[in-house]
Amino acid sequence: MIHQSIITRESIVGMLYPPRRFRLRDFDQPLKAPGTLGSWQEDWNLRFPFKETFVPAFEEMCRSIDHVPFSAKGVAHYTFLKNVTDNDIEKVRQWLNLLEPYVGIRDCLALSFASDYDSEDGNPGSPFTKVGSLRKLAKTYGKAPTHASLAAADELTKLCLNTLRELTCYDSATCVVAVPPSDPGKPYNLPRHIATGIAARLGKKDLCGHVKTNQARQSVRGTPCDEKLPVIEGTVSVTPGVFEGKSVLLIDDLYQSGVTMNYVAMLILEAGAEKVFGLACEKTCSNDDNVSRR
């Protein structure tokens, strides 16, 4: 069972140091055979750039495999596989292949993935990915949606649904919520459109109406990460009693620093939820969210 730690304002600020996001496709051989790391290593080993998201996803999707997590000094995290068979190792390889295209994120949520980067290969100077192009078309920036923007939003919903079907670590979520907009007066909200579509297709409760923006806030785009939380605090409200004992899937279209998503998750947990899973359509790859490397 995936564990959810308490989220505090201090832990949100503390998550803002790299490495923040990584894609296993870009990681050098996460599965290490015995002896690869040194003569002392007697077991197969999984090596990740950080333990958040990757370890809980492994533990949920590969439950039958005995393992011992180990956090080394620095940023690397090791998970030693114990008493494994050839079939177990093949299962791990299949799991790694499944995760390769998705962006794992280090934050305070139970786990947090994005379907892709906004630009190809996580390079800010490269062309948009398919997800990045769709999001650009689907975002209305305060205006009423057009036929084209709604069609793009529906395509993003399908991509998120595919992510959720492949990453079965999300299966225990019982309800879906969208990160609320900065301006409650907007006629249309892309994350809510996606969250509502996901809830309908997966048969989960749509509780978007119980997480609201109660006060318009200024945009935090371009604001230094350690100054974003004070801008957001007090602008979101959660209906008391609704989330008691629930596992929540929290949806956003864009994951930049993650301060807003993690703040909303903190409020949902304070309202009684057991855990909050994060899923974003795309993860930015520019350095304005304190990311200095892939």
Side-chain angles (χ1 to χ4, degrees):
M1 180 178 294
I2 295 176
H3 174 70
Q4 170 73 67
S5 299
I6 295 172
I7 300 179
T8 65
R9 287 154 183 82
E10 291 74 21
S11 63
I12 293 175
V13 173
M15 76 179 188
L16 297 175
Y17 300 96
R20 289 296 317 283
R21 78 290 194 282
F22 216 96
R23 190 173 56 175
L24 288 184
R25 178 182 294 169
D26 306 319
F27 200 45
D28 180 30
Q29 297 181 345
L31 181 62
K32 301 290 186 181
T36 308
L37 300 173
S39 59
W40 53 271
Q41 181 203 354
E42 299 178 352
D43 301 302
W44 283 86
N45 172 263
L46 279 171
R47 184 171 63 95
F48 303 114
F50 45 80
K51 65 180 179 180
E52 291 84 0
T53 293
F54 290 114
V55 173
F58 168 75
E59 292 179 338
E60 184 68 13
M61 297 173 71
C62 300
R63 290 187 183 186
S64 63
I65 298 176
D66 188 17
H67 65 283
V68 177
F70 174 74
S71 293
K73 292 182 179 179
V75 297
H77 178 86
Y78 300 87
T79 295
F80 292 97
L81 310 180
K82 313 295 289 186
N83 306 312
V84 291
T85 65
D86 290 344
N87 286 338
D88 290 333
I89 295 303
E90 180 59 28
K91 183 175 182 179
V92 172
R93 288 196 175 103
Q94 291 175 1
W95 176 77
L96 289 170
N97 289 336
L98 192 67
L99 255 67
E100 269 197 354
Y102 301 110
V103 183
I105 300 171
R106 175 183 172 266
D107 62 11
C108 303
L109 280 69
L111 54 80
S112 192
F113 281 100
S115 292
D116 203 349
Y117 287 120
D118 57 347
S119 300
E120 292 178 4
D121 297 322
N123 185 344
S126 296
F128 284 128
T129 59
K130 178 181 179 180
V131 171
S133 297
L134 285 171
R135 182 191 168 274
K136 184 176 177 62
L137 181 59
K139 201 76 172 177
T140 62
Y141 300 99
K143 299 179 181 179
T146 63
H147 177 75
S149 62
L150 287 174
D154 288 340
E155 285 300 310
L156 285 173
T157 304
K158 292 178 183 177
L159 287 171
C160 287
L161 283 165
N162 184 67
T163 300
L164 291 167
R165 290 189 182 101
E166 290 202 328
L167 302 185
T168 56
C169 48
Y170 284 100
D171 284 358
S172 62
T174 55
C175 60
V176 186
V177 170
V179 172
S182 57
D183 182 358
K186 286 183 177 180
Y188 172 74
N189 177 235
L190 177 57
R192 182 162 187 169
H193 180 98
I194 296 169
T196 298
I198 289 172
R201 290 293 298 274
L202 297 185
K204 299 182 185 291
K205 291 183 179 180
D206 179 357
L207 298 182
C208 291
H210 295 283
V211 178
K212 299 178 180 180
T213 301
N214 53 38
Q215 174 186 334
R217 59 181 178 271
Q218 67 186 63
S219 172
V220 294
R221 183 182 294 273
T223 304
C225 284
D226 57 358
E227 298 177 17
K228 289 185 176 184
L229 188 55
V231 176
I232 299 167
E233 282 192 291
T235 65
V236 177
S237 63
V238 176
T239 305
V242 172
F243 293 98
E244 193 70 38
K246 290 184 171 58
S247 295
V248 182
L249 173 59
L250 182 59
I251 300 293
D252 207 351
D253 60 325
L254 171 69
Y255 193 114
Q256 190 174 349
S257 70
V259 172
T260 302
M261 179 175 267
N262 281 260
Y263 175 68
V264 172
M266 181 185 73
L267 297 181
I268 293 172
L269 290 170
E270 289 176 348
E274 288 188 356
K275 63 191 71 173
V276 180
F277 303 104
L279 177 64
C281 296
E282 67 176 51
K283 174 71 186 78
T284 57
C285 50
S286 57
N287 290 335
D288 57 2
D289 57 351
N290 281 8
V291 176
S292 61
R293 58 182 171 180
R294 281 196 262 172

